[in-house]
Amino acid sequence: MASSSSSARVNNKATSSAPPAAAAASFSSAPVPSLGDLIGHQLRQLKLEELHYTDELQFIQILTPVKRQKLNREADGDVQKDGCNGGGDTVVALAPLSRPEYGGEEDDDLIGAVGGFSVSSPTSTPATTTTKEPLLDFRTHVLKWFQNLRHQTGHFKSEEESRRLREAGNDSYRKEKHPLKASDLFTEAIFLAPARNTLAAALAHANRSLVLYDCGLYAESYDDCLCSLDLGFPEEYLPLIKLRQAACALKLRNFTLCEEHLHELLHIELNQVFETRTHELWHQCEVLKVERFEMAVQTGDDLETNDMKAFEIAWLDNSSSLHSTRALARNSLIFESEAVAMVPSGNCRVCDCCGITQFIPFPCIYCSNRLVVYCSRQCRFKHAAIHAVECFGHQIELFESFGEVFGMPRLLQLALRLLITGLPEMLAHCRKKPTLSKLWSCINGALLERQDIGYSSVLRLERLEEEHSSETLISLALAAHILAIYLSKCTTFFDQLEKSLPSASRMSSAEWELLCAALLMRHISQLRHRSLTHCRSFVLPTDPHVFSPLNEFQLWAAPMRLQEGHLHLLAGEVAVVAYAVYPETLSLCRHSCSSTICSKFSGRKLTALALLDLPAGSGIYNCFASGNYQQLRQGERSKELEEHGIKCYCSACQLSHTDDQFYKFHRYRCDNPKCMEIFTPHALPHAPNLRWWLSEEYTQPEYNGAELIVCPHCDQAQKLEWFWSFNTSLIDCELIEERCKLYAAIERAESQLMELHECKVALARLLLEQCLMVHREGATVLDDWEFNKLGSIMRAVLPAVVAQYGGQSIEYVQYFAYFWDVMALSNYKCNDRELMQMLNALEFIADEFKDIFINYYEDYISPKYAEKSYGSVVDTQV
């Protein structure tokens, strides 16, 4: 996947020029063309300068010029129950193929695991057809491509490997007495279990339910029991599962559900052990019911509330923006909203429904890549309607295949979700018999202005307007067409659309396909502008779906509670975890490189807080670049924003010296004793952001002594001896001698790097990362002197992080996580003011991570602050 700042693009190999005749010959000779071949073939048949259109529907019609309303059903390959299409043509019904792993058997009735049908082979065209239209050729090869994807996927699953991991989990639980490790092994067994034989997954779910019960995760344990029963858990062991369900329900204080399962057990022939345990649970349930009492709850009338909306939508130059309706104080709430659509980025494991990242995963058993996971059966049920449309796409790894051609394949999946969640809602408001042209006019007219239709707010979003058709634009339009074909041939989505219409009329499948392709093209243009929101959070350095490969279970002392000194491993990486759309809030903010809001992402929920005091009527601005005026130079921001169709005229970009705020984090003192001037290098090869310490072109040993940075005052290359010494000693930091060299290198760097320099922050993080690893693995146990040294080094650079990213940023939390580990492992401390600033910053990270940080503080830091001897520690000078 491309970086989060890159726009959708097409690989050069997909659009390389070739003679038309040769290209056509090679294309037709290939039995199954790739996606790049499909798009490249269509591009070679088009002349960009001759494409003129007014809207997305006309654009799709130009790219696919066949009159779809006249295509008969036999050529279209659709299934008609009544035997005729909208024009009265007789058709032959084609039965869809079954899922590849089921061999024609009926699908199990699993909530959230209902996939689409696989594709049917296209039938031959009627004898009356004398010419082969480009559209039919394109559709035929798209369907062949779908079939090829179907036969290439689903090979990583193994029943034998799942059984092996399940047995390893049993050993970890019974012999090693390590339930967290056992849970991870059972989770991996679930991911590797094949869908054609669900018994392996059923047994893994059952085993994991026992471990989760022992860990106190009763809701997850109960869900595992239900999954096990759904997947065919053996009947002879049914009392075991029912007993565990009753115990979980009792722990959750759901007495009715507990009694229901106990009644089921009483109707089953039980051995003496199970019968005794059943009566024990019944007695405990009766006792708890008697002890139950009602608690007094403070009502809303007792609380001081302010229901006045903090923002309103204003219109300027035919575009909308947000303005404050009243004066807002710094850190006050401006708006909260839920994403209308969201897709995981692929960087970590994310619940496909609610968007949280820390949970016990429940995967869809049918998806071949097991990318779709949920935190509970409840989320799986809520997401069932969407996943029913996408499931077959995940079975053939359709969305991953787009990544071979496009820089941001998740953008296409997000556009698809906007369509499948919004279009049925809008069609419910159509009253007359629709035709394609009337429905399109209505979508762009009366329905567009409806405030009671959520999908209308999506359609009103601004789009990326391109003056001329480009290969990227056409390629995305063809991708939208491919997704429309997928909806037509691999899902029952068009049948759902027909049911959404209140009238008895019926549009042809070809018309639905054309309408959906046009709407998908619109959503892609909106997401390429500023409607695509990058939701950032902490990312664990592990496999996105299971934790066993890197032994992440070793992080945890208990659920949501980390081992001492392991906090920096949880917060070590920050990345985009999901892409979302907020059409009525964040997407309506104007751009400014000096944002006035701080966005907190917690699952699907977005919370925007004021970064500064805002008077009534002031604009609410958000920075849509990957960095603000302190993190990126103006030229780099402008280039990035132009890709999204945004031209910035904010105050930060209008200054005469626009990059001064950026350069203050990259100031050096010349190491020439005769010069000693302070300077900022305005350009460095191979380091566009001046962060040369991140580039391999500068950090390799062969560059030691090279002229990397040159002082503009004396034209002398900087020696950077402290940097090369630091890199050399970092390799062997398990030795006390090498660690002392590291501390000395940090001290020497202080004389050349100015106080807010980014490199100082990067070196401090590398130092603590390596030293904490050495201490954690037991190679060397650091003493109080070294911990005090490390604490002073990290404490000294935290103000630079606050200055560049802000005290409400996730980067600040990321860096002080290292500082908290030092305080947890030693007697080092900070003052109360610094500690309160850190605790306040936790309000700006996802709720599940906030809870983990609070638990860590209460377990390891707060008790030490209560000790009298803890306050006598003096900082060690660096």
Side-chain angles (χ1 to χ4, degrees), residues 8-61:
R9 64 181 185 275
V10 180
N11 291 342
N12 294 330
K13 66 180 181 179
T15 58
S16 58
S17 59
S26 62
F27 183 83
S28 59
S29 62
V32 182
S34 65
L35 178 61
D37 295 331
L38 287 171
I39 294 177
H41 175 69
Q42 293 298 104
L43 285 173
R44 287 188 290 269
Q45 293 182 345
L46 297 171
K47 295 182 179 180
L48 300 182
E49 64 275 4
E50 297 180 0
L51 294 179
H52 303 287
Y53 56 92
T54 57
D55 57 26
E56 296 88 357
L57 184 62
Q58 187 178 8
F59 186 41
I60 296 294
Q61 288 174 324

Side-chain angles (χ1 to χ4, degrees), residues 344-350 357 538-540 542-545 576-577:
S345 67
N347 290 328
C348 72
R349 186 190 65 192
V350 177
T357 60
F538 297 117
V539 176
L540 288 170
T542 185
D543 186 273
H545 313 299
V576 176
V577 298

Side-chain angles (χ1 to χ4, degrees), residues 781-836:
V781 178
L782 304 184
D783 56 19
D784 286 342
W785 179 86
E786 288 199 76
F787 275 123
N788 291 341
K789 181 74 76 173
L790 294 173
S792 298
I793 291 173
M794 181 54 72
R795 185 180 180 184
V797 301
L798 285 178
V801 179
V802 174
Q804 187 172 21
Y805 294 96
Q808 306 94 337
S809 65
I810 193 171
E811 287 81 5
Y812 175 55
V813 179
Q814 177 190 18
Y815 279 96
F816 79 63
Y818 291 85
F819 188 63
W820 276 22
D821 275 340
V822 171
M823 290 199 296
L825 293 169
S826 68
N827 287 327
Y828 190 83
K829 68 173 294 185
C830 60
N831 59 47
D832 292 342
R833 177 178 168 276
E834 292 171 320
L835 187 61
M836 288 305 301

